[in-house]
Amino acid sequence: MDIKDILTPVDFSNLLNEDINNIITTMELEVNDQVDINIYLDEMKEMLFQNPTVRETIEDKVFAGRTAIKWYRLKLNNEEKKKVISKIQSQLFYYNSIRNLEEFNLEVPTEYTCIKIGDNRYLMRILVPTGTRTVRRGLDYEKYTSTKTDTVIIDLEKEYLEIRSDAKNAKKIMQIITNDLGINEPQEIEILGNYGDSLEVFKSSLINGRFTDVTSKPGLNIKLTRRQNEHLVQVFNIIDEYFTTRDEERLVGSLKEIDIETEEVSFMYLLLGGMKKIGMACRPNNDEDLCGLSLYASLKDFIIEHSGFISFSISEDGQKNTIQVGKTTNSISFRSNVSEKVIDYIRNKVI
C-alpha cells in the first residue's frame, strides 16, 4: 500500500488554499464552486499521485497540518528490533490493509492501518475517541462517539516514536502501541533537553527564532502582607515622580523612608510576590523578539519559563511558522498548518 491508499477527505484539509490552487492549475482541473474540495481531491487521488509535483505537495502536507507532537525514545537491540518489525508488519497493526472500524464501538485509541515509509520507518493511523455527542432528531435524540484521526511515526533506525496528538491522548496512544509491540514503556524525550531546559536557548537555536508570547512563574514563591504591597506601590510612585521632577535628593530620601520589612530578597522577587503566572506577549504584527523588550529583559532572571510561543523559519528567507512549547507536557504544538519539512526541522532540533 501507498500513502494515497490511506488518505481520507479530512487529511486533505491540511492543504493550504495556495496548495489546492496549485494542484488545480497543474492538473488542469475544472472544479465546481459547490463541490467540497477535500472530498473531490480524495476521489481524484489516484490521478493526482501520478504527477510527481502534485504527489510531493500532498505528501508534504496531509499528515502534518496544525498538530501537536510528543516524542519518545526507543532503545532496542537488533534482536528486539526484528521482533518489533515482525509485529508491525502483521495484521495486528493492519499492515498494508485498512481495518473496518464499523465492527465495534470505539472506546480507546485504535490502530486501523499501517504502511512502510522508509528503511525501518513506519506510519500508523490511529482513530481516537474525543467524546460523546448528542444529536436531536425530532422528538428523539441520538448519542454517538465523535472521533479524530492521529498519526504515529515509528523510526527504528533513529530509535524514536513520534505521536502527532495532544499530550493527553499521546500518552494513551503510546501505551497502546508499545504494549502491542511488546516494548517496555519508552522514555519521554525532553523538548528542551538539548538546551539546558531553557526556552530562550532553544529559541535562539532556530532560524529567525523569536519569542512572541511567554507564560512564566516567579522563581521564588513569596507571600506579601498588605502593608508590604502598599510600600511597593509607594516605591513605584516615587520612581515615577522622579522621572517628572528629576529631583535626586527627594528620590533617595523618599526611598530611604520605606521599609518593606523583608530579609535580603531581591526587589524583583518582591514585585512578583503572590503571582502564580506572568504572561507577556508582543503586539500582533510586531516583528520584535520579546527578549528585546525592557519588561522581559528586566524579569527574565527572576522567572521560570512555563510555556512559550516561538516564531521561526526553516531558511533565512523562508515563511514564518509558530510553535507553542509546553515544558510541563513535553510537547510542541504547531499553531498553523505546516509541512513535513517544518516538522523535520524541529524534530532534528529536539531529538
Side-chain angles (χ1 to χ4, degrees):
M1 288 180 64
D2 193 6
I3 283 180
K4 71 177 186 304
D5 300 313
I6 62 173
L7 290 179
T8 68
V10 175
D11 296 323
F12 283 95
S13 66
N14 288 328
L15 297 175
L16 301 176
N17 288 334
E18 180 184 356
D19 299 322
I20 293 172
N21 291 333
N22 287 339
I23 289 172
I24 291 172
T25 301
T26 301
M27 300 302 295
E28 298 180 349
L29 301 174
E30 294 184 8
V31 182
N32 190 309
D33 291 339
Q34 304 303 314
V35 170
D36 184 314
I37 190 61
N38 297 326
I39 294 176
Y40 176 79
L41 293 175
D42 184 61
E43 292 173 345
M44 300 288 289
K45 59 189 176 186
E46 289 288 344
M47 182 187 74
L48 298 179
F49 269 68
Q50 292 177 14
N51 184 294
T53 302
V54 172
R55 178 188 179 107
E56 182 180 355
T57 297
I58 294 174
E59 290 185 345
D60 195 36
K61 296 289 182 67
V62 285
F63 297 136
R66 184 172 180 170
T67 186
I69 299 182
K70 281 181 71 69
W71 287 278
Y72 296 87
R73 175 66 63 197
L74 301 175
K75 291 187 177 180
L76 305 169
N77 59 40
N78 290 335
E79 202 58 41
E80 289 171 331
K81 284 183 181 180
K82 290 178 182 178
K83 291 179 180 179
V84 167
I85 290 172
S86 178
K87 288 183 178 180
I88 292 176
Q89 295 184 3
S90 72
Q91 198 59 18
L92 176 65
F93 285 93
Y94 290 82
Y95 183 68
N96 283 339
S97 64
I98 298 178
R99 185 176 193 171
N100 182 357
L101 293 171
E102 295 180 358
E103 295 177 351
F104 54 89
N105 294 322
L106 195 67
E107 296 180 351
V108 296
T110 304
E111 308 105 324
Y112 73 88
T113 191
C114 174
I115 61 173
K116 190 172 185 179
I117 56 173
D119 291 337
N120 289 337
R121 195 166 190 260
Y122 300 88
L123 183 149
M124 295 180 182
R125 307 304 307 276
I126 314 292
L127 203 61
V128 180
T130 57
T132 302
R133 301 184 66 179
T134 301
V135 178
R136 287 196 168 196
R137 300 189 185 280
L139 300 177
D140 201 357
Y141 63 88
E142 180 180 346
K143 290 186 176 181
Y144 66 96
T145 301
S146 56
T147 60
K148 66 185 181 76
T149 301
D150 287 335
T151 298
V152 174
I153 306 291
I154 298 180
D155 193 319
L156 297 175
E157 287 297 317
K158 297 183 179 179
E159 299 185 324
Y160 67 80
L161 176 67
E162 175 177 299
I163 302 179
R164 301 182 182 183
S165 184
D166 61 86
K168 181 180 178 181
N169 283 319
K171 186 172 182 179
K172 293 179 182 178
I173 293 169
M174 178 275 293
Q175 290 172 336
I176 289 170
I177 289 177
T178 54
N179 181 65
D180 289 344
L181 288 174
I183 299 175
N184 292 329
E185 190 166 309
Q187 185 174 357
E188 193 175 88
I189 294 176
E190 294 184 10
I191 297 298
L192 301 176
N194 296 332
Y195 305 93
D197 201 38
S198 169
L199 274 171
E200 187 170 346
V201 175
F202 175 64
K203 179 268 301 182
S204 299
S205 76
L206 304 176
I207 298 173
N208 298 324
R210 66 182 186 88
F211 276 143
T212 59
D213 189 311
V214 175
T215 301
S216 308
K217 61 182 181 180
L220 291 179
N221 182 16
I222 298 176
K223 187 175 182 179
L224 301 178
T225 65
R226 181 177 179 180
R227 183 174 178 79
Q228 287 171 324
N229 276 313
E230 290 173 351
H231 283 164
L232 283 172
V233 172
Q234 288 180 335
V235 169
F236 282 113
N237 289 336
I238 291 168
I239 294 173
D240 185 62
E241 180 184 1
Y242 167 75
F243 281 101
T244 301
T245 65
R246 298 295 175 174
D247 188 334
E248 295 181 13
E249 185 175 342
R250 180 177 175 81
L251 170 68
V252 174
S254 297
L255 290 176
K256 284 183 176 180
E257 292 176 3
I258 296 177
D259 182 8
I260 302 182
E261 300 174 351
T262 62
E263 297 179 1
E264 294 182 1
V265 177
S266 168
F267 176 77
M268 299 304 287
Y269 282 132
L270 297 177
L271 175 63
L272 299 173
M275 291 188 178
K276 184 178 180 181
K277 289 183 181 179
I278 305 102
M280 288 176 278
C282 293
R283 291 177 178 175
N285 303 319
N286 185 343
D287 286 337
E288 285 187 272
D289 186 353
L290 189 61
C291 290
L293 301 184
S294 57
L295 181 59
Y296 181 85
S298 300
L299 294 178
K300 71 176 184 177
D301 291 334
F302 306 93
I303 57 179
I304 299 172
E305 298 151 336
H306 178 71
S307 68
F309 288 81
I310 299 174
S311 172
F312 69 97
S313 305
I314 60 174
S315 63
E316 288 295 343
D317 56 350
Q319 177 183 342
K320 292 180 182 178
N321 303 279
T322 300
I323 54 175
Q324 180 181 15
V325 180
K327 293 181 71 173
T328 55
T329 60
N330 251 329
S331 64
I332 285 183
S333 296
F334 294 87
R335 308 306 295 179
S336 58
N337 281 27
V338 296
S339 66
E340 293 293 337
K341 294 182 183 69
V342 175
I343 293 177
D344 288 345
Y345 176 74
I346 293 297
R347 183 194 300 116
N348 291 333
K349 290 289 182 178
V350 171
I351 296 180

